[in-house]
Amino acid sequence: MPIVVTSILAAFESIGNVSNLSNLGIKSITYYLSTTFIAVILGLILVTLIEPGISKPSKFMQQKINSLQESNLQKLVLDITEIVESETSQSLNSGKIQDLQKTLTKIAQGNNSADDLKQKALKLIGSLELRSKLSNDSKPTDKSNLSIKDFLLLQIEKTLINPFEALASKNVLAIIIFTMLFGGALTTIGPSKEKIFEINRAINLSVMKIIHMIMYFCPLGVFGLIAEVTSSLGIEVFSRLGLYILCVLLGLAIHLFIILPFIVYTTSKVSPKQFFTAIKPSLMVAFSTSSSSATLPINLQCVEENLKVDKRISKFVLPLGSTINMDGTALYEAVAAVFIAQLFGVSLDFQSQIIVALTAALASMGAAGIPAAGTVTMSMVLAAVGLPIEGIGIILAVDRPLDMCRTAVNVASDATGCVVIDSIEKSKSLFS
Ligand code: ASP
């Protein structure tokens, strides 16, 4: 929680006074948000299509699973029959009824179910429907019945009534909303905000220090986690991790070699070859240091000298970008969160995927431009959808090479933003 709050406040510190954000500021932030969301959606599509965390059993194994499933399904239907018969309408609340109905529908439509089992399931669905009508507890706050709008409104309500309760109960979304409101307000209060931002930076650094101290034990923790996962999934966990790496790299490559050059070309007519030749030194430094902040000076030089971006623009757009614009990190966080969900057998519904997209974008904006910062802020994405934080330990084993690649994408996107805004400003001055 301290990392989430202080990182978001740090992002507001770099944005400056939100009430008189300059035209340039609004344009930069709009560009940054747009490409970050493109990256997140790309990541989500890839991880859903490739399903790196889901085991696909061999034919022989599938047959075994089918026969096992058949007897398990029989038992499940028996259990549900028992529950339906023994529980009163009051004790079967709407959530429970919905859960049972979902399971039964799967059985009734499943390929692995025998016909008599399907009949039984359909009958049970009917009697549960009746129960559901009788039960009078289908409250509007039932989370599974809420639309996304109602769900977000509920979070805002919770936040505004008691942010401390949200903090204590680790309600990440509510905390993010409150911190954004607070951060935005803070930027408008005049010089005294500097003190708060200074304290915020100190807290952020101290908490980071604590995390680094804990990180000394990390190899031991990673060893334990991988051993545990390997013992349940077998050696297959390595092929899962391999697919996960492939998924992240594919997403990063599409973003770097197709989406960004396309944006550059359509807005400023700079060809992909010109663009990559110009920013090659920054890409190399980003790749070898895994740090957007360390790459900032060379990136400034590349866009100013090789791409002829106006210095007044680059001096504003790039430093802001190196702290809040991290397309590669956002893509990686979205893929990693869904991968961990798949690995732990948690299915994420549409609402949860939207929360993953939003928090991954925010977590990337809050991540500092230093190595492995994205991995730390990822805890925010996992916590927001109730996934186990230990999942980070599993992906940590392969994090460094991915960090090198995502940092290169982060830096390329900053340079793209610079070129885009420069050409918009230049065309504006031509017409005025
Ligand atoms: N290393 C990345 C950067 O500096 C941040 C991260 O994703 O860890 O841009």
Side-chain angles (χ1 to χ4, degrees), residues 204-269:
N204 189 283
L205 285 176
S206 321
V207 180
M208 279 290 196
K209 274 242 159 80
I210 297 178
I211 291 180
H212 280 139
M213 261 155 55
I214 297 171
M215 285 292 197
Y216 281 118
F217 299 95
C218 199
L220 207 63
V222 171
F223 172 78
L225 280 164
I226 296 276
E228 195 190 333
V229 180
T230 319
S231 68
S232 57
L233 273 182
I235 206 77
E236 199 203 324
V237 73
F238 293 105
S239 62
R240 307 278 113 229
L241 272 176
L243 262 185
Y244 155 74
I245 296 175
L246 205 83
C247 193
V248 176
L249 290 183
L250 183 66
L252 292 178
I254 295 177
H255 199 74
L256 179 64
F257 295 116
I258 300 177
I259 295 173
L260 293 180
F262 177 76
I263 297 176
V264 171
Y265 185 72
T266 45
T267 52
S268 59
K269 295 281 168 284

Side-chain angles (χ1 to χ4, degrees), residues 147-407:
S147 68
I148 290 167
K149 188 180 128 215
D150 290 341
F151 176 73
L152 286 176
L153 282 176
L154 188 74
Q155 300 299 323
I156 294 176
E157 199 182 298
K158 274 191 200 160
T159 312
L160 294 181
I161 290 174
N162 190 350
F164 292 100
E165 193 189 321
L167 201 61
S169 59
K170 289 202 253 163
N171 185 341
V172 180
L173 215 56
I175 287 303
I176 292 173
I177 297 169
F178 181 78
T179 314
M180 286 176 69
L181 271 175
F182 181 73
L186 192 61
T187 59
T188 65
I189 62 168
S192 48
K193 70 181 175 196
E194 299 304 338
K195 284 183 206 132
I196 310 255
F197 279 132
E198 205 180 316
I199 294 173
N200 181 61
R201 250 178 282 136
I203 297 178
N204 189 283
L205 285 176
S206 321
V207 180
M208 279 290 196
K209 274 242 159 80
I210 297 178
I211 291 180
H212 280 139
M213 261 155 55
I214 297 171
M215 285 292 197
Y216 281 118
F217 299 95
C218 199
L220 207 63
V222 171
F223 172 78
L225 280 164
I226 296 276
E228 195 190 333
V229 180
T230 319
S231 68
S232 57
L233 273 182
I235 206 77
E236 199 203 324
V237 73
F238 293 105
S239 62
R240 307 278 113 229
L241 272 176
L243 262 185
Y244 155 74
I245 296 175
L246 205 83
C247 193
V248 176
L249 290 183
L250 183 66
L252 292 178
I254 295 177
H255 199 74
L256 179 64
F257 295 116
I258 300 177
I259 295 173
L260 293 180
F262 177 76
I263 297 176
V264 171
Y265 185 72
T266 45
T267 52
S268 59
K269 295 281 168 284
V270 173
S271 74
K273 189 166 174 244
Q274 262 174 301
F275 178 65
F276 284 117
T277 316
I279 63 163
K280 199 168 138 201
S282 336
L283 290 182
M284 309 267 267
V285 175
F287 188 76
S288 46
T289 59
S290 291
S291 164
S292 303
S293 303
T295 316
L296 180 61
I298 182 99
N299 211 16
L300 273 169
Q301 199 182 341
C302 287
V303 294
E304 286 166 4
E305 288 174 13
N306 305 347
L307 291 165
K308 306 284 172 265
V309 169
D310 188 326
K311 282 191 178 146
R312 285 167 302 179
I313 290 183
S314 58
K315 292 248 164 353
F316 174 80
V317 179
L318 270 192
L320 182 63
S322 72
T323 48
I324 70 164
N325 181 43
M326 300 206 177
D327 297 0
T329 304
L331 185 145
Y332 144 83
E333 298 203 4
V335 173
V338 179
F339 170 70
I340 290 170
Q342 292 173 346
L343 209 60
F344 283 87
V346 180
S347 74
L348 296 175
D349 55 12
F350 186 63
Q351 202 177 62
S352 310
Q353 298 224 13
I354 301 256
I355 297 177
V356 168
L358 287 175
T359 44
L362 272 168
S364 74
M365 290 174 87
I370 53 171
T375 321
V376 177
T377 59
M378 229 196 69
S379 52
M380 171 169 147
V381 187
L382 296 183
V385 282
L387 286 169
I389 304 282
E390 297 91 294
I392 297 181
I394 297 164
I395 55 167
L396 213 55
V398 292
D399 194 57
R400 184 65 188 201
L402 293 183
D403 194 4
M404 294 160 84
C405 299
R406 64 180 187 252
T407 308

